[in-house]
Amino acid sequence: MTDWTSLRKDFPILHQQVHGKPLVYFDNAATSQKPRSVIDALVHYYERDNANVHRGIHELSNRATNAFEAARTRSAKFINAKSADEIIFTRGTTEGINLVAATWGAKNLKAGDVILLTELEHHSNLVPWQMLAQKTGAKITYIPVTGDDGVLDLSKLDSLLTPQVKMFSMVHISNSMGVVNPVEELCARARKLGIVTLVDGAQSAGHLPVDVQAIGCDFFAFSGHKICGPTGIGVLWGRQEILETMPPYQGGGEMILSVGYHKTEFKHAPHRFEAGTPDISGPIGLHAAMDYLDAIGRANIWQHDQELANYAAEKLSALKNIRIFGPKKNRAGLVSFLLKDVHAHDVVTLANQGGVALRGGHHCTQPLMHKLGVESTARASFYFYNTKAEVDVFIEVIKEIQKFFAA
Ligand code: C6P
């Protein structure tokens, strides 16, 4: 049995007061907090090993290079990739998807082709495809959501999987609804038709076991900062056969085999996609984060996430004048909601006075909000260091906010 409360000791930031109240950090879908081991890994790197990678043959450069490449190997293991050569370090999920759109997309899409997305997508998995569609003349189609539960209407899938579809890009766990999409089934259906697939794993990678080979996708993108790692580092996994066919993303140092004044020969993946001096401390911190999470076990984390989210959803449902979003079954670790006649930003502002950190807004899913007829929601998102006692505090704060606005 995991002692979740004792894990909190590993997170220095959690032990503080906000507005005179103990901090309740429920904004984990935006970014997670960092355990001491990740902070220490960063300090150790800058105090002992800092040098540029892949360049020098001096001791520090060798150490930095070894640590950087060890993080690549660790990342491959984290998502069960076949090889570390399939791991491209990026700035995060956003950059990973942009990389695929700009390289694979620019090479393979033409006017008349279709990019299939879902109505749940975060702007990161919408805007890069819209930009690509504008450039190439490709079209975008969407699998619709059924309503406030945010579940996809898969009865429409057959008719959407037309011969024109070349890319099917989908979110694994929706950041605003907490829906878990059946990505294995969706990728299997696409693969049968020769459609390339991308899974946006921003909200899943650190919350449940991820096996890219079992999912059967072609690309999988996630962010380090949402899985207890540093900001500014992320991973794009791509199937090696596809990566080798893709043109580079950016040009510069480190991604070349040879350069002449008129011609350049590029390295193989993944280095072809990593131009310039990379974020070196980022992968090192990410490595420590992955070790930390897997010592707890992501199946274990997932169970805890779901317990907290179900508990919070149940308690919120007992309140009057509240609209709750997200699925009834298999809810990921977050709850989005709206109090009648109270703006989500007011909920977040007043919750902050009670020490509770929530997020309010469209959560970078503006088209989805409009589809559901709202501008924004308030959102509580959980991680393994959160407790039921914190959910109780949150519920009391919400009750106070309702009283305040009723008065
Ligand atoms: N969602 C949230 O509060 P970056 O910014 O690249 O690390 O991640 C982008 C991203 C992509 N896909 C999904 C499903 C996401 O949830 C996010 C980030 C944050 O919900 C910030 S908007």
Side-chain angles (χ1 to χ4, degrees):
M1 273 278 282
T2 309
D3 182 352
W4 301 103
T5 310
S6 113
L7 285 178
R8 291 173 64 81
K9 293 195 200 101
D10 297 337
F11 291 80
I13 204 168
L14 295 178
H15 310 284
Q16 61 175 297
Q17 304 229 320
V18 168
H19 297 295
K21 310 273 168 38
L23 168 67
V24 172
Y25 185 77
F26 281 175
D27 196 17
N28 293 287
T31 200
S32 64
Q33 298 304 347
K34 321 302 171 199
R36 174 60 70 197
S37 62
V38 169
I39 299 167
D40 286 349
L42 296 174
V43 171
H44 181 275
Y45 167 70
Y46 279 118
E47 283 186 351
R48 306 276 311 272
D49 302 335
N50 178 51
N52 210 331
V53 292
H54 304 134
R55 290 172 206 265
I57 40 170
H58 57 80
E59 173 65 19
L60 296 193
S61 175
N62 283 338
R63 276 194 230 151
T65 304
N66 289 342
F68 183 76
E69 289 304 327
R72 200 188 299 279
T73 304
R74 182 66 183 89
S75 301
K77 189 169 158 221
F78 192 69
I79 54 172
N80 196 32
K82 263 195 205 148
S83 151
D85 289 344
E86 297 184 324
I87 301 293
I88 300 165
F89 287 127
T90 62
R91 282 192 296 125
T93 311
T94 305
E95 190 175 47
I97 299 172
N98 273 280
L99 190 157
V100 176
T103 60
W104 179 89
K107 182 168 177 202
N108 292 288
L109 288 195
K110 56 180 189 324
D113 287 341
V114 170
I115 302 158
L116 176 61
L117 305 175
T118 84
E119 285 184 344
L120 288 170
E121 299 313 318
H122 185 277
H123 296 169
S124 302
N125 200 24
L126 274 171
V127 183
W129 301 116
Q130 287 180 358
M131 288 161 60
L132 180 67
Q134 260 170 18
K135 267 194 216 142
T136 58
K139 265 184 24 184
I140 301 180
T141 55
Y142 294 92
I143 305 179
V145 293
T146 46
D148 279 7
D149 64 2
V151 174
L152 294 179
D153 180 359
L154 294 182
S155 69
K156 301 278 189 299
L157 188 57
D158 276 335
S159 60
L160 285 165
L161 286 172
T162 61
Q164 287 72 38
V165 178
K166 295 288 170 344
M167 161 60 76
F168 179 11
S169 190
M170 68 202 83
V171 70
H172 195 173
I173 292 180
S174 148
N175 67 317
S176 52
M177 297 285 116
V179 168
V180 187
N181 280 330
V183 286
E184 283 165 35
E185 180 195 334
L186 298 178
C187 291
R189 305 255 306 255
R191 197 167 55 248
K192 268 195 202 142
L193 302 167
I195 298 166
V196 172
T197 51
L198 185 151
V199 173
D200 168 353
Q203 299 294 345
S204 63
H207 291 265
L208 44 73
V210 167
D211 178 337
V212 288
Q213 297 186 61
I215 292 173
C217 51
D218 295 297
F219 298 103
F220 186 94
F222 64 99
S223 304
H225 70 96
K226 292 192 201 287
I227 70 163
C228 294
T231 46
I233 185 68
V235 167
L236 171 69
W237 170 81
R239 205 180 280 285
Q240 199 158 12
E241 309 83 84
I242 297 197
L243 292 183
E244 289 303 341
T245 67
M246 284 160 44
Y249 181 41
Q250 295 177 326
E254 290 303 308
M255 46 80 76
I256 54 90
L257 285 172
S258 69
V259 183
Y261 280 119
H262 298 288
K263 195 167 176 286
T264 293
E265 233 190 313
F266 305 116
K267 279 186 181 162
H268 288 285
H271 303 289
R272 174 190 304 183
F273 301 104
E274 295 176 355
T277 298
D279 178 1
I280 302 166
S281 62
I284 290 169
L286 185 62
H287 188 158
M290 289 172 170
D291 284 349
Y292 184 86
L293 291 182
D294 282 345
I296 303 169
R298 273 175 286 163
N300 206 7
I301 290 173
W302 181 236
Q303 202 186 349
H304 184 74
D305 272 5
Q306 289 201 299
E307 256 174 52
L308 286 187
N310 289 336
Y311 182 65
E314 193 186 295
K315 291 250 167 184
L316 286 174
S317 311
L319 305 179
K320 289 203 184 93
N321 297 322
I322 187 164
R323 181 171 167 191
I324 297 172
F325 299 85
K328 305 273 174 304
K329 278 192 283 185
N330 200 25
R331 177 187 282 280
L334 62 92
V335 188
S336 266
F337 60 97
L338 271 180
L339 302 183
K340 188 162 180 276
D341 300 329
V342 187
H343 196 283
H345 285 160
D346 292 333
V347 173
V348 176
T349 305
L350 289 173
N352 180 48
Q353 296 300 316
V356 180
L358 302 176
R359 182 170 177 197
H362 51 60
H363 314 293
C364 298
T365 55
Q366 217 167 20
L368 175 65
M369 295 286 122
H370 290 162
K371 160 109 189 199
L372 299 177
V374 298
E375 282 299 319
S376 57
T377 70
R379 182 188 69 186
S381 55
F382 314 108
Y383 214 0
F384 55 87
Y385 40 71
N386 293 129
T387 64
K388 278 194 176 165
E390 288 185 309
V391 175
D392 291 336
V393 171
F394 156 68
I395 296 293
E396 286 313 308
V397 162
I398 297 299
K399 283 184 187 163
E400 287 301 314
I401 295 171
Q402 284 191 314
K403 267 193 223 152
F404 177 82
F405 278 95

